[in-house]
Amino acid sequence: MKPENQETKQKPETQEQKTLLQAYGWNEHWEAELQRAGAGGVPLVAARVVAQFSHQYRIVTEAGEQAAVVTGKFEFEAVNRGDFPAVGDWVLVQPLPGEARAVIHALLPRRSAMVRKEAGQRVDVQVISANLDYVFITNALNQDFNLRKIERYLLAVWESGAKPVVLLTKADLCDDPDHYAALVEGVAPGVPVHAVSAFENQGREALADYLLPGQTIAITGSSGVGKSTLLNWLADEEKQRVQQIRESDARGRHTTTHREMFVTPSGAIIVDTPGMRELQLWESDEGMDTTFSDIGELAASCRFHDCRHEREEGCAVKQAIADGTLEQRRFANFKKMEKELAHMARKEESVNRRTKKQAEKRVSAKSRVGRRTASAYAGDMGDDE
C-alpha cells in the first residue's frame, strides 16, 4: 500500500538515531524512501516488522521492540492479504504514549517480496517475507531431496526480486554431496549451491559472503530440512527450538510456527519461516523465464514460433528430450507449473471482476440512498414553507 496522506507523515529522524534500525538493515535507500514520504502533523517513525502473528505484529523502532497493529483505515483500504505488512517490511508507525505498542499507518515501498498463493481454496496472495537480499532454499540430503521441488522454489525466488542460494542441508547423512550439488546446478544454472551440515559444522565458510551486515536473508523449504537448525548454527545460539524428523520418510514437524527475523553475530538479518508442505505459485512474469531459461532457448529454435512442444515437426524441445540434453521430468515440471500459473491467473481475474462488480454495486446503492435523502430533505423544506 502507498503511504497515507500528508496528515500522517513526518520528517525522517536524524542519523544519530538510526543505530538500532541500522542493525536491522536501515540504509540510504530507506532513508530516501522515508524522506519521500513527506512531512506532516502525526508523529510517525520508521520501524521494521520482525515477527508476524496473523494481523498482530512485533516491530523494531529506535526505541526497541514493540507490539503493533494496523490502523482501521489501513485495513479498510487493503485490497488483498498481500497489502498487509509482512516480516521484513519497513513501516511508518505511531507509537502510543506510555505503552510498548504502536499503530502501523503505512508501508514503505517493498524492494522485493517472496509470495505464494494462500493455502486452501481462497484465491489470495500471501507474502512470505519482504525486502530480502537473498533466499536460502533448503533441501535435505536424505529422502527429502527433490529437484522438482527446488525448481518450484527457484521460480518463486526469482520472481520475488531476491537472489536464490540453494543449501543442501544434512550433508553428513550423504556419502557424495558433490554429486547432488551437481544435479542441482544442472537445473539451476548460475545459482550458488552449497552442501552444509550444522551437525558437523561443514560448509559454513562458503556462506560468509552472504552473511554480511545489513543483508536480509530468508530461509525457506519444507518441514524437516533443518531450517531452524541452520538458523541456530549461523547465529551461534539457539534462536529457534528444533524437533526430530521421522526417519522412516524424513518428514518433519513444524518447529517454526510463525515468521520471525533475527540478527546474527555477523550482522546479517535472517528470517526463519514455517516449513511448507507445498509452495503454491501465485504469479510469474520473469520467474519462469529465468528458472527454465534452457527450455526457453530451445523453444526459440523450434520451427514454429507458437510450438506447443507436443507433436509439431521441427520441435527443438522434443529433440533435446530425445537426445538426452533435456530431462523429460524437468520439461514435465515446466509444463505443470506453466499450467498452474495460467489456471491461477484465470481464477485471479475472475475474483477481480467479481470484486469490482461488488464495489460498483455498493457505490450505486450509496448513491441511491444519497439521492433519496436529498429528495426527502427537499420535501421537508417545502412543507416548512
Side-chain angles (χ1 to χ4, degrees):
M1 294 181 64
K2 295 180 179 179
E4 292 195 25
N5 57 32
Q6 293 296 316
E7 289 75 37
T8 62
K9 298 166 184 173
Q10 71 159 27
K11 294 181 180 179
E13 306 97 322
T14 63
Q15 187 64 29
E16 291 74 15
Q17 294 174 301
K18 294 292 194 302
T19 305
L20 185 56
L21 287 187
Q22 284 177 339
Y24 280 87
W26 187 265
N27 55 33
E28 292 180 356
H29 169 83
W30 298 114
E31 183 75 32
E33 289 293 345
L34 184 57
Q35 290 183 9
R36 274 192 285 271
V42 177
L44 300 183
V45 299
R48 195 167 199 189
V49 179
V50 298
Q52 179 181 359
F53 313 88
S54 186
H55 288 326
Q56 303 287 323
Y57 306 92
R58 189 161 75 245
I59 61 171
V60 166
T61 70
E62 285 299 344
E65 287 197 1
Q66 299 179 350
V69 295
V70 299
T71 65
K73 180 180 180 181
F74 191 117
E75 186 166 6
F76 177 78
E77 293 181 346
V79 176
N80 56 44
R81 188 173 175 182
D83 289 334
F84 284 90
V87 172
D89 269 323
W90 288 99
V91 293
L92 300 180
V93 306
Q94 180 182 9
L96 300 179
E99 302 183 49
R101 297 191 302 125
V103 180
I104 299 171
H105 284 256
L107 300 180
L108 293 181
R110 292 167 175 153
R111 299 187 73 176
S112 63
M114 185 173 176
V115 304
R116 68 168 181 173
K117 176 191 170 296
E118 187 178 53
Q121 297 300 313
R122 183 179 177 185
V123 181
D124 205 347
V125 61
Q126 180 184 38
V127 180
I128 297 171
S129 48
N131 298 316
L132 304 169
D133 296 293
Y134 295 98
V135 176
F136 285 174
I137 301 170
T138 56
N139 202 259
L141 289 174
N142 54 17
Q143 298 98 307
D144 184 70
F145 182 78
N146 189 320
L147 289 174
R148 307 289 80 85
K149 189 179 296 184
I150 292 172
E151 288 171 344
R152 179 172 286 265
Y153 277 92
L154 281 170
L155 191 155
V157 177
W158 281 125
E159 190 66 25
S160 76
K163 298 176 183 178
V165 178
V166 178
L167 299 189
L168 301 178
T169 60
K170 306 186 181 183
D172 55 290
L173 302 179
C174 180
D175 293 333
D176 191 3
D178 290 341
H179 167 71
Y180 290 93
L183 292 177
V184 175
E185 289 168 355
V187 302
V191 176
V193 181
H194 305 286
V196 300
S197 168
F199 183 73
E200 296 287 346
N201 197 30
Q202 174 186 340
R204 186 168 184 161
E205 64 283 352
L207 306 182
D209 289 342
Y210 314 113
L211 302 172
L212 299 177
Q215 295 286 300
T216 302
I217 304 163
I219 302 176
T220 189
S222 302
S223 300
V225 300
K227 296 187 302 299
S228 295
T229 299
L230 181 68
L231 169 63
N232 293 341
W233 178 49
L234 297 177
D236 285 323
E237 62 178 294
E238 187 172 346
K239 294 286 189 181
Q240 294 283 60
R241 185 171 56 88
V242 298
Q243 296 180 7
Q244 297 299 314
I245 64 170
R246 296 194 303 262
E247 296 302 332
S248 59
D249 59 3
R251 282 298 189 187
R253 289 173 286 179
H254 292 281
T255 302
T256 303
T257 57
H258 61 277
R259 296 167 186 84
E260 188 165 3
M261 175 181 287
F262 304 91
V263 178
T264 66
S266 70
I269 305 128
I270 296 183
V271 181
D272 193 20
T273 63
M276 290 181 278
R277 296 297 186 194
E278 182 182 4
L279 175 63
Q280 297 188 63
L281 302 176
W282 178 248
E283 61 185 6
S284 177
D285 295 324
E286 300 179 2
M288 282 287 286
D289 292 340
T290 305
T291 304
F292 296 101
S293 59
D294 55 338
I295 296 177
E297 290 172 3
L298 287 169
S301 300
C302 290
R303 179 180 299 177
F304 305 106
H305 73 276
D306 58 348
C307 183
R308 299 177 63 185
H309 320 305
E310 293 176 352
R311 297 182 179 84
E312 297 90 343
E313 292 184 4
C315 176
V317 173
K318 300 300 289 184
Q319 181 59 45
I321 294 173
D323 62 29
T325 55
L326 175 63
E327 186 184 10
Q328 171 64 47
R329 285 177 293 182
R330 175 168 170 78
F331 179 66
N333 199 36
F334 164 79
K335 295 295 288 184
K336 176 184 177 182
M337 287 195 278
E338 188 178 52
K339 183 177 180 180
E340 181 180 336
L341 286 164
H343 177 65
M344 180 54 58
R346 290 193 297 270
K347 290 179 69 174
E348 184 183 4
E349 184 179 353
S350 175
V351 169
N352 289 341
R353 285 199 303 267
R354 187 163 60 249
T355 301
K356 182 180 179 180
K357 189 174 293 185
Q358 290 172 347
E360 290 173 349
K361 286 182 178 179
R362 288 197 297 270
V363 171
S364 177
K366 186 180 294 185
S367 176
R368 287 196 300 272
V369 170
R371 287 196 298 270
R372 286 198 297 268
T373 302
S375 177
Y377 179 74
D380 290 343
M381 292 293 290
D383 291 341
D384 289 342
E385 291 176 0

